[in-house]
Amino acid sequence: MKNLRIAHIAEAAIWLSLALLLFVNSFDFNQEIEIYKYGASAWPRALLLLIVVAAIGQLFGQWLRGESQGSEMLGKASDDGAELAAELSDHNNPKWLLWTFLIMTIPFFYMNVPGIVGDLLSLEKAGLNHVKLLTATVLLGIFLLAIRGNHIGGMLTLPLLFGAFLQDFGFYFTAPFFILGTMYLMGERRWKNMVMIGALIMGIMLALFVSLLYVGLPTGIISPFYEFGTSIVNLLQ
Amino acid sequence: MDTLTNFINGTIALFGDPLGILIFLGGVIGGMLFGAIPGVSMLTLAAILLPFTAHLSPEHGIMLFSVIYCTGVYGGAITAILFNIPGAPENAPTAFDGYPMTQKGQAGKAVGAAVTCSAIGGTVSAVIMMIATAPIAGWAISAFGPPEIFALVFFGLAVASSVGAKTFWKGWLSILLGLLIAVVGLDPVGGIERWDFGMPYLLAGIHFIPTILGFFAVSEVFVQVEKKARGSYSAPKVSVDFPSLAELFAQKIAVIRSIVIGFFCGILPGIGATLAAFMGYNEAVRWSKDSKEFGTGKMEGVVSSETANNAATGAAMIPLLALGLPGGALTAMMVAVFQMHDMEPGPLVFLNSADLVWVVFSAMFFANLSILLIGFLETKTIINLLRIPFQFLAPLILLLATIGAYAVRGLPIDIVVMFIAGIVGFFLRRSGYSVAGIVLGLILGKIGEQTFAQAMQMLHFEWSGFFSRPIAITLIIAGMLTLLNSIYSSFFKKST
């Protein structure tokens, strides 16, 4: 095995699987173009080939020399501390990674489950909204339980969850929770400060983007969140 | 003489327009602050501002970014010197001698040297940029066709992969990932859908703005969350002293050497200003007779690193404006600004929008000069800003990024794409990959494929046709040699 570690093999496996998946998918658009004999798939496939070469090259380099390949100065110049932070916090272990990835799937459930349930039960809009509300509540509960002891996983997922809820529940309702949640996950526990600074941030956002620049942020779709969002917009504009 | 006239006209255009002045000042101060505050960088600011530049004129948009570039690479020097916390990677080597100077009670002098040398390095670089860019662009207009542009993109990516990340393979894989992302959507020749996985959103391709915001603003927040260790800083009392003329004159060799190194690093695609600072510092140590004194508080260390990183800024604009080739993350974002206004950077910009170019050049010149003035005024403010805990800054950055991503097209899915890019960026960064490389690949991917297709059609699909075009073949061979050398070094060369 020389200098090779499991992480190196996993890294190469990820690149190679990505290349394989995309290669298989490239048959979908493997069409000829009249004026261009290489067609639509030549360029992407050339890139995939290069990825395979680079992934194997990297693995070979790691086998030969471990992490010490490349110049020390380039290593220092391109170091942003992210690797060291991961190492120090012991977040490279498979258990943590698996846990974190599972947490990160929660928002995707919200993006897909209500639609599927709605189709199955042939629900109208009002019924679908109820399913969305219920799904959101359940997933939020699971999220809060799952991030106990894994605040980084929570921090990675919270923005995605915010993004997933945004369209249905609106920016104006979800953003304050997002602000407070971010502060909490980053270790802030002084509630008074959190509320005061959260209100300040929200105030700046609303004054700048809604009152001044007229950016139309999502008001939400589901009642009563929609009414809440539009009333704030009406108040500010 | 032409250059001088153009410069004067550019200056009048810049300062004769109240909105221009406002944007200029905003860029100068914003760049400096974001450069200085640990945990955010000028790239965070640039990414957050990127979507909103759609509402500015291209002139103002590019000018804003170039000003942020100049003051952003200086901003982190103050915190590097006073607290041993470089605000941004460009200033990391400044801390090697800057902080020991603070410990010896010479903080004022160190900050003064950093301010002065940043301004000198940047201004000289801006002047060379003004003189050199137009002739190169003029030559490129007649000499560059699709084969040459493709060859240039290839050469640029080859160099960027070699000097853009921790190892050559990680640099190259980062760029290839960016190139792959650029493939998603319609192909540039026949309009055939590629890798859309049946999702209508992917038909139009993955938009570069949510991606850039995710990679630079969001992933930065995530990395900071993992770093966590962000205590409060005890601010030493500091007054800024100008180094005396005699002291400055004694550093002349270091300044000149760093300008040359910085300029060279800036012109090459890769990690520009950061590499410049490290190389400037390294060469200073190598040339010095008393190299053992470095790291103990030697002013030459601060001078070498700060001159070099600012000298890289003007140089980086030459390939961007004269040839359309961005070399790093910030210049890649400038390409995005051009694209949002349906413009392509490159030699034609000189013909079609000479005003824009000269406003940008003047702005960069004055931004570097303003480091002198604002650098002295701002130092104390920056020390106070360090007291803002990151947990209060993080939601602000994330919300600004959210609004920015949404404002581009009004699609909530863009926000989700941005956060996914942030997560991907976070995991790639902690494995040593370069998000700047991905963005460079993303921005250059479309241009690369398009010019490759045009070149092959032009050459009737005869690859040998490249040999009849000296510039194209030279660039391709140079790119190949760079790649081969990097591959060889990654396997067999001892670490240096």
PDB file of all heavy atoms in Angstrom, chain B residues 425-437:
ATOM      1  N   GLY B 425     -18.447  23.000  -2.341  1.00  0.00           N
ATOM      2  CA  GLY B 425     -17.223  23.785  -2.178  1.00  0.00           C
ATOM      3  C   GLY B 425     -16.560  23.510  -0.836  1.00  0.00           C
ATOM      4  O   GLY B 425     -15.344  23.362  -0.739  1.00  0.00           O
ATOM      5  N   PHE B 426     -17.367  23.406   0.209  1.00  0.00           N
ATOM      6  CA  PHE B 426     -16.858  23.142   1.562  1.00  0.00           C
ATOM      7  C   PHE B 426     -16.112  21.808   1.598  1.00  0.00           C
ATOM      8  O   PHE B 426     -14.981  21.726   2.082  1.00  0.00           O
ATOM      9  CB  PHE B 426     -18.045  23.143   2.530  1.00  0.00           C
ATOM     10  CG  PHE B 426     -17.738  22.600   3.900  1.00  0.00           C
ATOM     11  CD1 PHE B 426     -17.009  23.344   4.800  1.00  0.00           C
ATOM     12  CD2 PHE B 426     -18.192  21.341   4.278  1.00  0.00           C
ATOM     13  CE1 PHE B 426     -16.739  22.849   6.073  1.00  0.00           C
ATOM     14  CE2 PHE B 426     -17.927  20.841   5.537  1.00  0.00           C
ATOM     15  CZ  PHE B 426     -17.194  21.599   6.440  1.00  0.00           C
ATOM     16  N   PHE B 427     -16.736  20.751   1.058  1.00  0.00           N
ATOM     17  CA  PHE B 427     -16.085  19.439   1.102  1.00  0.00           C
ATOM     18  C   PHE B 427     -14.856  19.381   0.196  1.00  0.00           C
ATOM     19  O   PHE B 427     -13.875  18.723   0.511  1.00  0.00           O
ATOM     20  CB  PHE B 427     -17.085  18.330   0.751  1.00  0.00           C
ATOM     21  CG  PHE B 427     -17.978  17.979   1.909  1.00  0.00           C
ATOM     22  CD1 PHE B 427     -19.291  18.407   1.958  1.00  0.00           C
ATOM     23  CD2 PHE B 427     -17.479  17.267   2.987  1.00  0.00           C
ATOM     24  CE1 PHE B 427     -20.106  18.114   3.041  1.00  0.00           C
ATOM     25  CE2 PHE B 427     -18.284  16.965   4.083  1.00  0.00           C
ATOM     26  CZ  PHE B 427     -19.592  17.394   4.110  1.00  0.00           C
ATOM     27  N   LEU B 428     -14.920  20.093  -0.942  1.00  0.00           N
ATOM     28  CA  LEU B 428     -13.751  20.094  -1.826  1.00  0.00           C
ATOM     29  C   LEU B 428     -12.591  20.859  -1.199  1.00  0.00           C
ATOM     30  O   LEU B 428     -11.439  20.441  -1.266  1.00  0.00           O
ATOM     31  CB  LEU B 428     -14.112  20.705  -3.185  1.00  0.00           C
ATOM     32  CG  LEU B 428     -14.964  19.815  -4.089  1.00  0.00           C
ATOM     33  CD1 LEU B 428     -15.405  20.572  -5.334  1.00  0.00           C
ATOM     34  CD2 LEU B 428     -14.197  18.568  -4.507  1.00  0.00           C
ATOM     35  N   ARG B 429     -12.920  21.985  -0.555  1.00  0.00           N
ATOM     36  CA  ARG B 429     -11.853  22.793   0.045  1.00  0.00           C
ATOM     37  C   ARG B 429     -11.150  22.049   1.160  1.00  0.00           C
ATOM     38  O   ARG B 429      -9.928  22.124   1.289  1.00  0.00           O
ATOM     39  CB  ARG B 429     -12.425  24.101   0.585  1.00  0.00           C
ATOM     40  CG  ARG B 429     -12.654  25.111  -0.507  1.00  0.00           C
ATOM     41  CD  ARG B 429     -13.384  26.306   0.005  1.00  0.00           C
ATOM     42  NE  ARG B 429     -12.588  27.041   0.984  1.00  0.00           N
ATOM     43  CZ  ARG B 429     -12.909  28.250   1.412  1.00  0.00           C
ATOM     44  NH1 ARG B 429     -13.982  28.842   0.956  1.00  0.00           N
ATOM     45  NH2 ARG B 429     -12.172  28.857   2.290  1.00  0.00           N
ATOM     46  N   ARG B 430     -11.925  21.327   1.969  1.00  0.00           N
ATOM     47  CA  ARG B 430     -11.255  20.623   3.068  1.00  0.00           C
ATOM     48  C   ARG B 430     -10.516  19.387   2.577  1.00  0.00           C
ATOM     49  O   ARG B 430      -9.832  18.719   3.337  1.00  0.00           O
ATOM     50  CB  ARG B 430     -12.227  20.312   4.207  1.00  0.00           C
ATOM     51  CG  ARG B 430     -13.312  19.349   3.875  1.00  0.00           C
ATOM     52  CD  ARG B 430     -14.576  19.709   4.618  1.00  0.00           C
ATOM     53  NE  ARG B 430     -14.585  19.340   6.009  1.00  0.00           N
ATOM     54  CZ  ARG B 430     -14.749  18.103   6.471  1.00  0.00           C
ATOM     55  NH1 ARG B 430     -14.853  17.108   5.637  1.00  0.00           N
ATOM     56  NH2 ARG B 430     -14.777  17.862   7.759  1.00  0.00           N
ATOM     57  N   SER B 431     -10.636  19.074   1.265  1.00  0.00           N
ATOM     58  CA  SER B 431      -9.811  18.005   0.717  1.00  0.00           C
ATOM     59  C   SER B 431      -8.690  18.577  -0.149  1.00  0.00           C
ATOM     60  O   SER B 431      -8.044  17.846  -0.899  1.00  0.00           O
ATOM     61  CB  SER B 431     -10.648  17.059  -0.140  1.00  0.00           C
ATOM     62  OG  SER B 431     -11.836  16.728   0.511  1.00  0.00           O
ATOM     63  N   GLY B 432      -8.486  19.884  -0.092  1.00  0.00           N
ATOM     64  CA  GLY B 432      -7.353  20.490  -0.783  1.00  0.00           C
ATOM     65  C   GLY B 432      -7.627  20.924  -2.213  1.00  0.00           C
ATOM     66  O   GLY B 432      -6.716  21.335  -2.927  1.00  0.00           O
ATOM     67  N   TYR B 433      -8.869  20.858  -2.666  1.00  0.00           N
ATOM     68  CA  TYR B 433      -9.180  21.324  -4.023  1.00  0.00           C
ATOM     69  C   TYR B 433      -9.348  22.831  -4.018  1.00  0.00           C
ATOM     70  O   TYR B 433      -9.486  23.445  -2.964  1.00  0.00           O
ATOM     71  CB  TYR B 433     -10.441  20.637  -4.553  1.00  0.00           C
ATOM     72  CG  TYR B 433     -10.233  19.163  -4.792  1.00  0.00           C
ATOM     73  CD1 TYR B 433     -10.529  18.232  -3.805  1.00  0.00           C
ATOM     74  CD2 TYR B 433      -9.708  18.709  -5.986  1.00  0.00           C
ATOM     75  CE1 TYR B 433     -10.310  16.887  -4.005  1.00  0.00           C
ATOM     76  CE2 TYR B 433      -9.486  17.358  -6.193  1.00  0.00           C
ATOM     77  CZ  TYR B 433      -9.783  16.452  -5.205  1.00  0.00           C
ATOM     78  OH  TYR B 433      -9.553  15.128  -5.407  1.00  0.00           O
ATOM     79  N   SER B 434      -9.356  23.407  -5.234  1.00  0.00           N
ATOM     80  CA  SER B 434      -9.393  24.860  -5.314  1.00  0.00           C
ATOM     81  C   SER B 434     -10.719  25.321  -5.919  1.00  0.00           C
ATOM     82  O   SER B 434     -11.026  24.982  -7.067  1.00  0.00           O
ATOM     83  CB  SER B 434      -8.217  25.334  -6.166  1.00  0.00           C
ATOM     84  OG  SER B 434      -8.550  26.468  -6.895  1.00  0.00           O
ATOM     85  N   VAL B 435     -11.506  26.079  -5.139  1.00  0.00           N
ATOM     86  CA  VAL B 435     -12.772  26.554  -5.689  1.00  0.00           C
ATOM     87  C   VAL B 435     -12.534  27.601  -6.777  1.00  0.00           C
ATOM     88  O   VAL B 435     -13.316  27.723  -7.718  1.00  0.00           O
ATOM     89  CB  VAL B 435     -13.732  27.110  -4.608  1.00  0.00           C
ATOM     90  CG1 VAL B 435     -14.369  25.990  -3.831  1.00  0.00           C
ATOM     91  CG2 VAL B 435     -13.056  28.086  -3.699  1.00  0.00           C
ATOM     92  N   ALA B 436     -11.420  28.322  -6.672  1.00  0.00           N
ATOM     93  CA  ALA B 436     -11.093  29.296  -7.722  1.00  0.00           C
ATOM     94  C   ALA B 436     -10.880  28.560  -9.047  1.00  0.00           C
ATOM     95  O   ALA B 436     -11.307  29.026 -10.109  1.00  0.00           O
ATOM     96  CB  ALA B 436      -9.852  30.085  -7.346  1.00  0.00           C
ATOM     97  N   GLY B 437     -10.236  27.394  -8.978  1.00  0.00           N
ATOM     98  CA  GLY B 437     -10.009  26.591 -10.188  1.00  0.00           C
ATOM     99  C   GLY B 437     -11.326  26.157 -10.811  1.00  0.00           C
ATOM    100  O   GLY B 437     -11.486  26.193 -12.040  1.00  0.00           O
TER     101      GLY B 437
END
